[in-house]
Amino acid sequence: MTIGYLPWGRPEWVMSRPCLRDSRHELTYAEVARRADAVATQLSEHGIGEGDVVAIMLPNRLELLLVILAAWRLGATATPINPVFTANEAEYQLRDSGAALVVNSGPGAPTAGLPSIAVEALRAEPAGVVPDREVRPEELALLIYTSGSTGRPKGVMLEHAHLLAMTSMLSDHLQLTDADHCLLVLPLFHVNAICVSFLSSMLAGGQLTVLERFAPLPFLEAVERHQPTYFAAVPTIYARLAELPADVVPDTSSLRFAICGAAPVARELLERCEERFGFVVVEGYGLTEGTCASTCNPIDGARKFGTVGPALPGQQIATIAPDGSILPPGEVGEVVVRGPNVMRGYLNRPEETAATLVDGWLRTGDVGRVDEDGYLVLVDRVKDMIIRGGENLYPKEIESVLYGHPAVLEAAVVGVPDPVYGEVPIAYVVAYPDVPVTAGELLDHCRRNLTKVKLPVEIHRLDALPKNPVGKIDKPALRKALQPR
């Protein structure tokens, strides 16, 4: 099996093409391969070889990608760490992953006592020859840690076979070619940015421009300057773009499409972005445990707003009843996924792996239904469900109604304990700038669209909703704020 996203061993005409750039560097495929070899010789001098784990705690920059490639060159595994983690959070991942070395920003960065290499000290030219070895599909490529919203973060084990299956599916579905150019803005400690932006563009022979962080105006300036053909983002980013003043009129004509994923998004927000910026936005769905994506609306085919699209080629998606039986189309149940992209398991957690990988299916913990055309409609997370007086309420349904009000930019609904009903829903809303709306108006809007049992007991206006490191609305933080002190 040829692993086509690796930069070395490609035809000569590919090697001279632009490959990676950020604000510091611009490298061809040949230069990327050489720089990866240079870092590989440095890692090798620190004893890194087959089966070892290299941790990388850096913000978005080319060196992060070069270290990943260098680790793979040696048969090692990479585990990227959120660069804003506290010492406690970073050291947990360093210890749990069994990392032998960490590449970081330099003095003061957490190391858990491990040997480290500062990013500025990374080698640019090889010192010696890297062993000529073949990267094998069954080798462990990445250890990506879950967000830990339901407990301590777990290391998801992804082999090169999983990454190759995922990037091949994405490249096929998105019709990527060597003419495509991705603008990467999501954090590289997450599998979305690694697979959708980095590896998929590498597999297609295209190019990647890496932005260190997102801010609306600099992002649009980067679109105008670099002329990318696509990007992937989370709903929060589209919300920040949609709220820009009307006199901001960027040139986005180079963009073939954009992808929205990682969290539920309102139809109104996607339509607003499409109308304003003129590019197609396709919504997709997936988990780290499924190596990123399992469904996605097509770019050219039938896009169904309110769904996250059909299964990607090579995957199956279904819903199951509580007894594990597969449900017919239209029936609501837990979403399950099957395909060559599903993880090996959780590192050193056999019981949790066994509970998640059941009879060949990945149990997602999401609730949804598959329609008659095979498109997945997400209802909510199992753990987010609110039981009000014996009635099951899904916050996403209430949020969708709130998003239907023209003043609402973002919304989140969580359950709070209640002495009579057990739990009741409370809503938090962020409005578009300079659009006046009261909590009473929003509640009236809900009354017109929801039965009484689904009405939030309170609606709070906020300037911003808390976000986790990946950009999703942080519902655990909202629930924690509601706990009695």
Side-chain angles (χ1 to χ4, degrees), residues 158-182:
L158 300 176
E159 302 168 0
H160 283 286
H162 301 129
L163 300 182
L164 183 58
M166 184 79 267
T167 53
S168 299
M169 293 170 185
L170 288 168
S171 184
D172 181 22
H173 184 76
L174 301 174
Q175 303 165 38
L176 299 182
T177 72
D178 58 9
D180 278 301
H181 176 183
C182 181

mmCIF file with all atom_site columns, all heavy atoms in Angstrom, residues 158-182:
data_model
loop_
_atom_site.group_PDB
_atom_site.id
_atom_site.type_symbol
_atom_site.label_atom_id
_atom_site.label_alt_id
_atom_site.label_comp_id
_atom_site.label_asym_id
_atom_site.label_entity_id
_atom_site.label_seq_id
_atom_site.pdbx_PDB_ins_code
_atom_site.Cartn_x
_atom_site.Cartn_y
_atom_site.Cartn_z
_atom_site.occupancy
_atom_site.B_iso_or_equiv
_atom_site.pdbx_formal_charge
_atom_site.auth_seq_id
_atom_site.auth_comp_id
_atom_site.auth_asym_id
_atom_site.auth_atom_id
_atom_site.pdbx_PDB_model_num
ATOM 1   N N   . LEU A 1 158 ? -4.544  6.258  16.029  1.00 0.00 ? 158 LEU A N   1
ATOM 2   C CA  . LEU A 1 158 ? -4.818  6.281  14.595  1.00 0.00 ? 158 LEU A CA  1
ATOM 3   C C   . LEU A 1 158 ? -3.593  5.801  13.835  1.00 0.00 ? 158 LEU A C   1
ATOM 4   O O   . LEU A 1 158 ? -2.501  6.361  13.981  1.00 0.00 ? 158 LEU A O   1
ATOM 5   C CB  . LEU A 1 158 ? -5.200  7.691  14.146  1.00 0.00 ? 158 LEU A CB  1
ATOM 6   C CG  . LEU A 1 158 ? -6.441  8.297  14.815  1.00 0.00 ? 158 LEU A CG  1
ATOM 7   C CD1 . LEU A 1 158 ? -6.647  9.728  14.340  1.00 0.00 ? 158 LEU A CD1 1
ATOM 8   C CD2 . LEU A 1 158 ? -7.679  7.446  14.539  1.00 0.00 ? 158 LEU A CD2 1
ATOM 9   N N   . GLU A 1 159 ? -3.779  4.754  13.039  1.00 0.00 ? 159 GLU A N   1
ATOM 10  C CA  . GLU A 1 159 ? -2.693  4.213  12.223  1.00 0.00 ? 159 GLU A CA  1
ATOM 11  C C   . GLU A 1 159 ? -2.621  4.956  10.882  1.00 0.00 ? 159 GLU A C   1
ATOM 12  O O   . GLU A 1 159 ? -3.556  5.661  10.492  1.00 0.00 ? 159 GLU A O   1
ATOM 13  C CB  . GLU A 1 159 ? -2.942  2.724  11.966  1.00 0.00 ? 159 GLU A CB  1
ATOM 14  C CG  . GLU A 1 159 ? -3.063  1.890  13.213  1.00 0.00 ? 159 GLU A CG  1
ATOM 15  C CD  . GLU A 1 159 ? -3.597  0.493  12.931  1.00 0.00 ? 159 GLU A CD  1
ATOM 16  O OE1 . GLU A 1 159 ? -3.877  0.190  11.747  1.00 0.00 ? 159 GLU A OE1 1
ATOM 17  O OE2 . GLU A 1 159 ? -3.753  -0.277 13.896  1.00 0.00 ? 159 GLU A OE2 1
ATOM 18  N N   . HIS A 1 160 ? -1.523  4.753  10.160  1.00 0.00 ? 160 HIS A N   1
ATOM 19  C CA  . HIS A 1 160 ? -1.440  5.315  8.813   1.00 0.00 ? 160 HIS A CA  1
ATOM 20  C C   . HIS A 1 160 ? -2.561  4.769  7.927   1.00 0.00 ? 160 HIS A C   1
ATOM 21  O O   . HIS A 1 160 ? -3.060  5.496  7.041   1.00 0.00 ? 160 HIS A O   1
ATOM 22  C CB  . HIS A 1 160 ? -0.071  5.015  8.195   1.00 0.00 ? 160 HIS A CB  1
ATOM 23  C CG  . HIS A 1 160 ? 1.014   5.895  8.719   1.00 0.00 ? 160 HIS A CG  1
ATOM 24  N ND1 . HIS A 1 160 ? 1.137   7.219  8.367   1.00 0.00 ? 160 HIS A ND1 1
ATOM 25  C CD2 . HIS A 1 160 ? 2.017   5.648  9.592   1.00 0.00 ? 160 HIS A CD2 1
ATOM 26  C CE1 . HIS A 1 160 ? 2.172   7.747  8.985   1.00 0.00 ? 160 HIS A CE1 1
ATOM 27  N NE2 . HIS A 1 160 ? 2.732   6.819  9.744   1.00 0.00 ? 160 HIS A NE2 1
ATOM 28  N N   . ALA A 1 161 ? -2.975  3.533  8.151   1.00 0.00 ? 161 ALA A N   1
ATOM 29  C CA  . ALA A 1 161 ? -4.082  2.973  7.365   1.00 0.00 ? 161 ALA A CA  1
ATOM 30  C C   . ALA A 1 161 ? -5.360  3.783  7.565   1.00 0.00 ? 161 ALA A C   1
ATOM 31  O O   . ALA A 1 161 ? -6.128  4.004  6.614   1.00 0.00 ? 161 ALA A O   1
ATOM 32  C CB  . ALA A 1 161 ? -4.320  1.517  7.750   1.00 0.00 ? 161 ALA A CB  1
ATOM 33  N N   . HIS A 1 162 ? -5.596  4.231  8.798   1.00 0.00 ? 162 HIS A N   1
ATOM 34  C CA  . HIS A 1 162 ? -6.773  5.057  9.071   1.00 0.00 ? 162 HIS A CA  1
ATOM 35  C C   . HIS A 1 162 ? -6.654  6.411  8.374   1.00 0.00 ? 162 HIS A C   1
ATOM 36  O O   . HIS A 1 162 ? -7.625  6.904  7.778   1.00 0.00 ? 162 HIS A O   1
ATOM 37  C CB  . HIS A 1 162 ? -6.933  5.261  10.575  1.00 0.00 ? 162 HIS A CB  1
ATOM 38  C CG  . HIS A 1 162 ? -7.094  3.997  11.351  1.00 0.00 ? 162 HIS A CG  1
ATOM 39  N ND1 . HIS A 1 162 ? -6.327  3.710  12.454  1.00 0.00 ? 162 HIS A ND1 1
ATOM 40  C CD2 . HIS A 1 162 ? -7.926  2.935  11.173  1.00 0.00 ? 162 HIS A CD2 1
ATOM 41  C CE1 . HIS A 1 162 ? -6.684  2.526  12.938  1.00 0.00 ? 162 HIS A CE1 1
ATOM 42  N NE2 . HIS A 1 162 ? -7.643  2.034  12.165  1.00 0.00 ? 162 HIS A NE2 1
ATOM 43  N N   . LEU A 1 163 ? -5.473  7.017  8.480   1.00 0.00 ? 163 LEU A N   1
ATOM 44  C CA  . LEU A 1 163 ? -5.272  8.337  7.862   1.00 0.00 ? 163 LEU A CA  1
ATOM 45  C C   . LEU A 1 163 ? -5.390  8.259  6.342   1.00 0.00 ? 163 LEU A C   1
ATOM 46  O O   . LEU A 1 163 ? -5.977  9.152  5.710   1.00 0.00 ? 163 LEU A O   1
ATOM 47  C CB  . LEU A 1 163 ? -3.902  8.895  8.244   1.00 0.00 ? 163 LEU A CB  1
ATOM 48  C CG  . LEU A 1 163 ? -3.630  9.114  9.731   1.00 0.00 ? 163 LEU A CG  1
ATOM 49  C CD1 . LEU A 1 163 ? -2.250  9.722  9.930   1.00 0.00 ? 163 LEU A CD1 1
ATOM 50  C CD2 . LEU A 1 163 ? -4.686  10.012 10.354  1.00 0.00 ? 163 LEU A CD2 1
ATOM 51  N N   . LEU A 1 164 ? -4.841  7.193  5.757   1.00 0.00 ? 164 LEU A N   1
ATOM 52  C CA  . LEU A 1 164 ? -4.911  7.056  4.309   1.00 0.00 ? 164 LEU A CA  1
ATOM 53  C C   . LEU A 1 164 ? -6.350  6.828  3.853   1.00 0.00 ? 164 LEU A C   1
ATOM 54  O O   . LEU A 1 164 ? -6.802  7.407  2.858   1.00 0.00 ? 164 LEU A O   1
ATOM 55  C CB  . LEU A 1 164 ? -4.020  5.908  3.845   1.00 0.00 ? 164 LEU A CB  1
ATOM 56  C CG  . LEU A 1 164 ? -3.949  5.707  2.325   1.00 0.00 ? 164 LEU A CG  1
ATOM 57  C CD1 . LEU A 1 164 ? -3.456  6.964  1.630   1.00 0.00 ? 164 LEU A CD1 1
ATOM 58  C CD2 . LEU A 1 164 ? -3.055  4.523  1.981   1.00 0.00 ? 164 LEU A CD2 1
ATOM 59  N N   . ALA A 1 165 ? -7.093  5.997  4.595   1.00 0.00 ? 165 ALA A N   1
ATOM 60  C CA  . ALA A 1 165 ? -8.503  5.789  4.255   1.00 0.00 ? 165 ALA A CA  1
ATOM 61  C C   . ALA A 1 165 ? -9.267  7.100  4.344   1.00 0.00 ? 165 ALA A C   1
ATOM 62  O O   . ALA A 1 165 ? -10.044 7.454  3.449   1.00 0.00 ? 165 ALA A O   1
ATOM 63  C CB  . ALA A 1 165 ? -9.117  4.747  5.193   1.00 0.00 ? 165 ALA A CB  1
ATOM 64  N N   . MET A 1 166 ? -9.021  7.865  5.412   1.00 0.00 ? 166 MET A N   1
ATOM 65  C CA  . MET A 1 166 ? -9.740  9.114  5.619   1.00 0.00 ? 166 MET A CA  1
ATOM 66  C C   . MET A 1 166 ? -9.424  10.133 4.543   1.00 0.00 ? 166 MET A C   1
ATOM 67  O O   . MET A 1 166 ? -10.324 10.750 3.954   1.00 0.00 ? 166 MET A O   1
ATOM 68  C CB  . MET A 1 166 ? -9.353  9.699  6.995   1.00 0.00 ? 166 MET A CB  1
ATOM 69  C CG  . MET A 1 166 ? -10.110 10.963 7.381   1.00 0.00 ? 166 MET A CG  1
ATOM 70  S SD  . MET A 1 166 ? -11.764 10.556 7.971   1.00 0.00 ? 166 MET A SD  1
ATOM 71  C CE  . MET A 1 166 ? -12.729 10.693 6.477   1.00 0.00 ? 166 MET A CE  1
ATOM 72  N N   . THR A 1 167 ? -8.152  10.329 4.273   1.00 0.00 ? 167 THR A N   1
ATOM 73  C CA  . THR A 1 167 ? -7.775  11.347 3.288   1.00 0.00 ? 167 THR A CA  1
ATOM 74  C C   . THR A 1 167 ? -8.197  10.949 1.879   1.00 0.00 ? 167 THR A C   1
ATOM 75  O O   . THR A 1 167 ? -8.561  11.816 1.069   1.00 0.00 ? 167 THR A O   1
ATOM 76  C CB  . THR A 1 167 ? -6.261  11.632 3.340   1.00 0.00 ? 167 THR A CB  1
ATOM 77  O OG1 . THR A 1 167 ? -5.538  10.396 3.214   1.00 0.00 ? 167 THR A OG1 1
ATOM 78  C CG2 . THR A 1 167 ? -5.872  12.287 4.641   1.00 0.00 ? 167 THR A CG2 1
ATOM 79  N N   . SER A 1 168 ? -8.199  9.657  1.577   1.00 0.00 ? 168 SER A N   1
ATOM 80  C CA  . SER A 1 168 ? -8.674  9.201  0.268   1.00 0.00 ? 168 SER A CA  1
ATOM 81  C C   . SER A 1 168 ? -10.172 9.477  0.113   1.00 0.00 ? 168 SER A C   1
ATOM 82  O O   . SER A 1 168 ? -10.632 9.925  -0.947  1.00 0.00 ? 168 SER A O   1
ATOM 83  C CB  . SER A 1 168 ? -8.397  7.712  0.079   1.00 0.00 ? 168 SER A CB  1
ATOM 84  O OG  . SER A 1 168 ? -7.009  7.442  0.129   1.00 0.00 ? 168 SER A OG  1
ATOM 85  N N   . MET A 1 169 ? -10.926 9.202  1.174   1.00 0.00 ? 169 MET A N   1
ATOM 86  C CA  . MET A 1 169 ? -12.367 9.492  1.147   1.00 0.00 ? 169 MET A CA  1
ATOM 87  C C   . MET A 1 169 ? -12.629 10.981 0.955   1.00 0.00 ? 169 MET A C   1
ATOM 88  O O   . MET A 1 169 ? -13.479 11.382 0.147   1.00 0.00 ? 169 MET A O   1
ATOM 89  C CB  . MET A 1 169 ? -13.008 9.028  2.464   1.00 0.00 ? 169 MET A CB  1
ATOM 90  C CG  . MET A 1 169 ? -13.025 7.545  2.700   1.00 0.00 ? 169 MET A CG  1
ATOM 91  S SD  . MET A 1 169 ? -13.546 7.196  4.411   1.00 0.00 ? 169 MET A SD  1
ATOM 92  C CE  . MET A 1 169 ? -13.327 5.418  4.481   1.00 0.00 ? 169 MET A CE  1
ATOM 93  N N   . LEU A 1 170 ? -11.906 11.807 1.699   1.00 0.00 ? 170 LEU A N   1
ATOM 94  C CA  . LEU A 1 170 ? -12.104 13.253 1.608   1.00 0.00 ? 170 LEU A CA  1
ATOM 95  C C   . LEU A 1 170 ? -11.706 13.782 0.240   1.00 0.00 ? 170 LEU A C   1
ATOM 96  O O   . LEU A 1 170 ? -12.414 14.600 -0.360  1.00 0.00 ? 170 LEU A O   1
ATOM 97  C CB  . LEU A 1 170 ? -11.297 13.959 2.703   1.00 0.00 ? 170 LEU A CB  1
ATOM 98  C CG  . LEU A 1 170 ? -11.828 13.811 4.128   1.00 0.00 ? 170 LEU A CG  1
ATOM 99  C CD1 . LEU A 1 170 ? -10.786 14.291 5.134   1.00 0.00 ? 170 LEU A CD1 1
ATOM 100 C CD2 . LEU A 1 170 ? -13.129 14.606 4.305   1.00 0.00 ? 170 LEU A CD2 1
ATOM 101 N N   . SER A 1 171 ? -10.570 13.314 -0.253  1.00 0.00 ? 171 SER A N   1
ATOM 102 C CA  . SER A 1 171 ? -10.099 13.769 -1.552  1.00 0.00 ? 171 SER A CA  1
ATOM 103 C C   . SER A 1 171 ? -11.103 13.420 -2.650  1.00 0.00 ? 171 SER A C   1
ATOM 104 O O   . SER A 1 171 ? -11.378 14.234 -3.544  1.00 0.00 ? 171 SER A O   1
ATOM 105 C CB  . SER A 1 171 ? -8.737  13.136 -1.855  1.00 0.00 ? 171 SER A CB  1
ATOM 106 O OG  . SER A 1 171 ? -8.217  13.624 -3.071  1.00 0.00 ? 171 SER A OG  1
ATOM 107 N N   . ASP A 1 172 ? -11.664 12.225 -2.567  1.00 0.00 ? 172 ASP A N   1
ATOM 108 C CA  . ASP A 1 172 ? -12.664 11.794 -3.543  1.00 0.00 ? 172 ASP A CA  1
ATOM 109 C C   . ASP A 1 172 ? -13.930 12.629 -3.419  1.00 0.00 ? 172 ASP A C   1
ATOM 110 O O   . ASP A 1 172 ? -14.450 13.165 -4.407  1.00 0.00 ? 172 ASP A O   1
ATOM 111 C CB  . ASP A 1 172 ? -12.957 10.302 -3.314  1.00 0.00 ? 172 ASP A CB  1
ATOM 112 C CG  . ASP A 1 172 ? -13.975 9.743  -4.300  1.00 0.00 ? 172 ASP A CG  1
ATOM 113 O OD1 . ASP A 1 172 ? -14.143 10.332 -5.384  1.00 0.00 ? 172 ASP A OD1 1
ATOM 114 O OD2 . ASP A 1 172 ? -14.604 8.715  -3.993  1.00 0.00 ? 172 ASP A OD2 1
ATOM 115 N N   . HIS A 1 173 ? -14.447 12.753 -2.196  1.00 0.00 ? 173 HIS A N   1
ATOM 116 C CA  . HIS A 1 173 ? -15.713 13.449 -1.974  1.00 0.00 ? 173 HIS A CA  1
ATOM 117 C C   . HIS A 1 173 ? -15.621 14.936 -2.324  1.00 0.00 ? 173 HIS A C   1
ATOM 118 O O   . HIS A 1 173 ? -16.565 15.513 -2.879  1.00 0.00 ? 173 HIS A O   1
ATOM 119 C CB  . HIS A 1 173 ? -16.134 13.284 -0.515  1.00 0.00 ? 173 HIS A CB  1
ATOM 120 C CG  . HIS A 1 173 ? -17.477 13.882 -0.199  1.00 0.00 ? 173 HIS A CG  1
ATOM 121 N ND1 . HIS A 1 173 ? -18.662 13.275 -0.562  1.00 0.00 ? 173 HIS A ND1 1
ATOM 122 C CD2 . HIS A 1 173 ? -17.822 15.035 0.421   1.00 0.00 ? 173 HIS A CD2 1
ATOM 123 C CE1 . HIS A 1 173 ? -19.672 14.027 -0.168  1.00 0.00 ? 173 HIS A CE1 1
ATOM 124 N NE2 . HIS A 1 173 ? -19.188 15.095 0.432   1.00 0.00 ? 173 HIS A NE2 1
ATOM 125 N N   . LEU A 1 174 ? -14.483 15.561 -1.989  1.00 0.00 ? 174 LEU A N   1
ATOM 126 C CA  . LEU A 1 174 ? -14.301 17.001 -2.222  1.00 0.00 ? 174 LEU A CA  1
ATOM 127 C C   . LEU A 1 174 ? -13.716 17.299 -3.600  1.00 0.00 ? 174 LEU A C   1
ATOM 128 O O   . LEU A 1 174 ? -13.507 18.464 -3.940  1.00 0.00 ? 174 LEU A O   1
ATOM 129 C CB  . LEU A 1 174 ? -13.407 17.592 -1.131  1.00 0.00 ? 174 LEU A CB  1
ATOM 130 C CG  . LEU A 1 174 ? -13.918 17.425 0.302   1.00 0.00 ? 174 LEU A CG  1
ATOM 131 C CD1 . LEU A 1 174 ? -12.871 17.911 1.298   1.00 0.00 ? 174 LEU A CD1 1
ATOM 132 C CD2 . LEU A 1 174 ? -15.242 18.155 0.510   1.00 0.00 ? 174 LEU A CD2 1
ATOM 133 N N   . GLN A 1 175 ? -13.426 16.237 -4.367  1.00 0.00 ? 175 GLN A N   1
ATOM 134 C CA  . GLN A 1 175 ? -12.901 16.376 -5.725  1.00 0.00 ? 175 GLN A CA  1
ATOM 135 C C   . GLN A 1 175 ? -11.602 17.197 -5.745  1.00 0.00 ? 175 GLN A C   1
ATOM 136 O O   . GLN A 1 175 ? -11.406 18.088 -6.563  1.00 0.00 ? 175 GLN A O   1
ATOM 137 C CB  . GLN A 1 175 ? -13.953 17.024 -6.634  1.00 0.00 ? 175 GLN A CB  1
ATOM 138 C CG  . GLN A 1 175 ? -15.278 16.274 -6.682  1.00 0.00 ? 175 GLN A CG  1
ATOM 139 C CD  . GLN A 1 175 ? -16.393 17.092 -7.284  1.00 0.00 ? 175 GLN A CD  1
ATOM 140 O OE1 . GLN A 1 175 ? -16.177 17.838 -8.242  1.00 0.00 ? 175 GLN A OE1 1
ATOM 141 N NE2 . GLN A 1 175 ? -17.593 16.975 -6.735  1.00 0.00 ? 175 GLN A NE2 1
ATOM 142 N N   . LEU A 1 176 ? -10.709 16.863 -4.806  1.00 0.00 ? 176 LEU A N   1
ATOM 143 C CA  . LEU A 1 176 ? -9.460  17.604 -4.702  1.00 0.00 ? 176 LEU A CA  1
ATOM 144 C C   . LEU A 1 176 ? -8.494  17.199 -5.809  1.00 0.00 ? 176 LEU A C   1
ATOM 145 O O   . LEU A 1 176 ? -8.403  16.026 -6.179  1.00 0.00 ? 176 LEU A O   1
ATOM 146 C CB  . LEU A 1 176 ? -8.802  17.352 -3.339  1.00 0.00 ? 176 LEU A CB  1
ATOM 147 C CG  . LEU A 1 176 ? -9.594  17.781 -2.100  1.00 0.00 ? 176 LEU A CG  1
ATOM 148 C CD1 . LEU A 1 176 ? -8.784  17.503 -0.841  1.00 0.00 ? 176 LEU A CD1 1
ATOM 149 C CD2 . LEU A 1 176 ? -9.988  19.253 -2.168  1.00 0.00 ? 176 LEU A CD2 1
ATOM 150 N N   . THR A 1 177 ? -7.745  18.177 -6.321  1.00 0.00 ? 177 THR A N   1
ATOM 151 C CA  . THR A 1 177 ? -6.709  17.937 -7.325  1.00 0.00 ? 177 THR A CA  1
ATOM 152 C C   . THR A 1 177 ? -5.469  18.727 -6.940  1.00 0.00 ? 177 THR A C   1
ATOM 153 O O   . THR A 1 177 ? -5.463  19.463 -5.947  1.00 0.00 ? 177 THR A O   1
ATOM 154 C CB  . THR A 1 177 ? -7.167  18.395 -8.726  1.00 0.00 ? 177 THR A CB  1
ATOM 155 O OG1 . THR A 1 177 ? -7.195  19.835 -8.760  1.00 0.00 ? 177 THR A OG1 1
ATOM 156 C CG2 . THR A 1 177 ? -8.545  17.854 -9.065  1.00 0.00 ? 177 THR A CG2 1
ATOM 157 N N   . ASP A 1 178 ? -4.413  18.600 -7.776  1.00 0.00 ? 178 ASP A N   1
ATOM 158 C CA  . ASP A 1 178 ? -3.189  19.336 -7.488  1.00 0.00 ? 178 ASP A CA  1
ATOM 159 C C   . ASP A 1 178 ? -3.354  20.837 -7.703  1.00 0.00 ? 178 ASP A C   1
ATOM 160 O O   . ASP A 1 178 ? -2.456  21.615 -7.379  1.00 0.00 ? 178 ASP A O   1
ATOM 161 C CB  . ASP A 1 178 ? -2.015  18.796 -8.316  1.00 0.00 ? 178 ASP A CB  1
ATOM 162 C CG  . ASP A 1 178 ? -2.272  18.857 -9.817  1.00 0.00 ? 178 ASP A CG  1
ATOM 163 O OD1 . ASP A 1 178 ? -3.271  19.465 -10.245 1.00 0.00 ? 178 ASP A OD1 1
ATOM 164 O OD2 . ASP A 1 178 ? -1.464  18.278 -10.564 1.00 0.00 ? 178 ASP A OD2 1
ATOM 165 N N   . ALA A 1 179 ? -4.506  21.257 -8.217  1.00 0.00 ? 179 ALA A N   1
ATOM 166 C CA  . ALA A 1 179 ? -4.778  22.694 -8.365  1.00 0.00 ? 179 ALA A CA  1
ATOM 167 C C   . ALA A 1 179 ? -5.387  23.285 -7.104  1.00 0.00 ? 179 ALA A C   1
ATOM 168 O O   . ALA A 1 179 ? -5.552  24.513 -7.010  1.00 0.00 ? 179 ALA A O   1
ATOM 169 C CB  . ALA A 1 179 ? -5.716  22.930 -9.547  1.00 0.00 ? 179 ALA A CB  1
ATOM 170 N N   . ASP A 1 180 ? -5.716  22.440 -6.123  1.00 0.00 ? 180 ASP A N   1
ATOM 171 C CA  . ASP A 1 180 ? -6.358  22.954 -4.909  1.00 0.00 ? 180 ASP A CA  1
ATOM 172 C C   . ASP A 1 180 ? -5.339  23.492 -3.919  1.00 0.00 ? 180 ASP A C   1
ATOM 173 O O   . ASP A 1 180 ? -4.187  23.051 -3.861  1.00 0.00 ? 180 ASP A O   1
ATOM 174 C CB  . ASP A 1 180 ? -7.217  21.876 -4.263  1.00 0.00 ? 180 ASP A CB  1
ATOM 175 C CG  . ASP A 1 180 ? -8.585  21.771 -4.912  1.00 0.00 ? 180 ASP A CG  1
ATOM 176 O OD1 . ASP A 1 180 ? -9.302  22.782 -4.907  1.00 0.00 ? 180 ASP A OD1 1
ATOM 177 O OD2 . ASP A 1 180 ? -8.915  20.700 -5.435  1.00 0.00 ? 180 ASP A OD2 1
ATOM 178 N N   . HIS A 1 181 ? -5.801  24.448 -3.145  1.00 0.00 ? 181 HIS A N   1
ATOM 179 C CA  . HIS A 1 181 ? -4.966  25.160 -2.181  1.00 0.00 ? 181 HIS A CA  1
ATOM 180 C C   . HIS A 1 181 ? -5.831  25.392 -0.947  1.00 0.00 ? 181 HIS A C   1
ATOM 181 O O   . HIS A 1 181 ? -6.858  26.068 -1.015  1.00 0.00 ? 181 HIS A O   1
ATOM 182 C CB  . HIS A 1 181 ? -4.511  26.487 -2.789  1.00 0.00 ? 181 HIS A CB  1
ATOM 183 C CG  . HIS A 1 181 ? -3.716  27.354 -1.870  1.00 0.00 ? 181 HIS A CG  1
ATOM 184 N ND1 . HIS A 1 181 ? -3.269  28.605 -2.224  1.00 0.00 ? 181 HIS A ND1 1
ATOM 185 C CD2 . HIS A 1 181 ? -3.268  27.165 -0.602  1.00 0.00 ? 181 HIS A CD2 1
ATOM 186 C CE1 . HIS A 1 181 ? -2.594  29.151 -1.225  1.00 0.00 ? 181 HIS A CE1 1
ATOM 187 N NE2 . HIS A 1 181 ? -2.588  28.287 -0.226  1.00 0.00 ? 181 HIS A NE2 1
ATOM 188 N N   . CYS A 1 182 ? -5.437  24.790 0.158   1.00 0.00 ? 182 CYS A N   1
ATOM 189 C CA  . CYS A 1 182 ? -6.202  24.900 1.401   1.00 0.00 ? 182 CYS A CA  1
ATOM 190 C C   . CYS A 1 182 ? -5.616  25.976 2.305   1.00 0.00 ? 182 CYS A C   1
ATOM 191 O O   . CYS A 1 182 ? -4.397  26.045 2.495   1.00 0.00 ? 182 CYS A O   1
ATOM 192 C CB  . CYS A 1 182 ? -6.213  23.561 2.138   1.00 0.00 ? 182 CYS A CB  1
ATOM 193 S SG  . CYS A 1 182 ? -7.170  23.601 3.667   1.00 0.00 ? 182 CYS A SG  1
#
